[in-house]
Amino acid sequence: MDLKIILVTGANGQLGREIKDVSERFPQYKFVFTNRNDLDVAQLDSVEKIVNIHPDYIIHCAAYTAVDKAELEIELANQNNVEACKHLVAAATKCQATLIHFSSDYVYHLVKKGPLIESDPVSPQSVYAKTKRASEEVVSTLHKHVILRTSWVYSKYGHNFVNTMLRLAESKKELTIVGDQIGSPTYAGDLANATMKIITALDTRHNVETRYGIYNYSNEGTLSWFDFAQAIFELKGIPMVLSKTTTAEYNAPAPRPLWSLMSKNKIKQTFGVDVPHWREALKRCLDVE
Ligand SMILES: NC(=O)c1ccc[n+]([C@@H]2O[C@H](COP(=O)([O-])OP(=O)(O)OC[C@H]3O[C@@H](n4cnc5c(N)ncnc54)[C@H](OP(=O)(O)O)[C@@H]3O)[C@@H](O)[C@H]2O)c1
């Protein structure tokens, strides 16, 4: 019997590499990992290349993720995040494939009393956030789609807050970290597990029609970037003097939401996805007890 094919785009990014790691536990699928060199999703020829692979599922990890640079590289961000999704939707339509896409908590940009839920209004502010919202609209035109809104993604691979903190600790004894953005980080290893749980659940074909749509996913718990930095250094046993700053003082080129905490109830109830607490996830990423 032919194995079902799962095509992964952007396989050299942090989520793509975590998907590769968890794929070893799913021998019932044939994984095809692609990166910018063999499948540049911003190019029109990507449609034909994907159709030739004829996937049953596409895990679309490729994205333009340089949030601050995007304020100046508007066209590039648009090409890689929005036009690319048009190519994927065209290819998925031809193959009747299911598209798993990733978006961002930045699309909400809403301060509210409780966790953000999927039906809350969206109000993306930065160029990056606007491209991610536009990508959701494109992907939603495909019937068989799942969009995972995620936040503060980190992994042992690639560029992220955890690796930046560890790198800075090699040369600095004091750091100033933003303390007024509240949310929960996402360990890309857990996001990869959640993605595979969704694919295997969709594959069982029970009530599949009602399961397509948008879902939040981050780790459980509530904290600021300052709290996150403190935990990283504490768990690694690195002495570091930390002081707090505000989003306004830090003044990054792209606006950041102050409230990024998302409810994970919908994804837990629909797919039975496991959502570990952020501290336990961080320990696994750092490989500490
Ligand atoms: N990182 C976060 O904090 C965060 C937060 C919320 C949502 N997300 C979303 O989560 C998803 C995964 O993000 P991530 O953190 O794994 O990103 P990442 O580490 O930046 O990886 C993205 C990968 O996509 C590749 N790529 C970009 N444009 C491409 C193209 N046209 N064709 C093929 N490959 C291309 C990049 O290659 P190059 O290195 O060659 O550019 C890179 O390997 C993205 O949709 C992102 O928007 C991320």
Side-chain angles (χ1 to χ4, degrees), residues 13-15 36 40-41 62-63 65 80 102-103 128 132 150 153:
Q14 46 176 346
L15 177 58
R36 190 195 285 281
D40 181 341
V41 289
T65 57
N80 286 295
F102 301 89
S103 184
Y128 168 76
K132 294 309 286 187
T150 184
V153 179

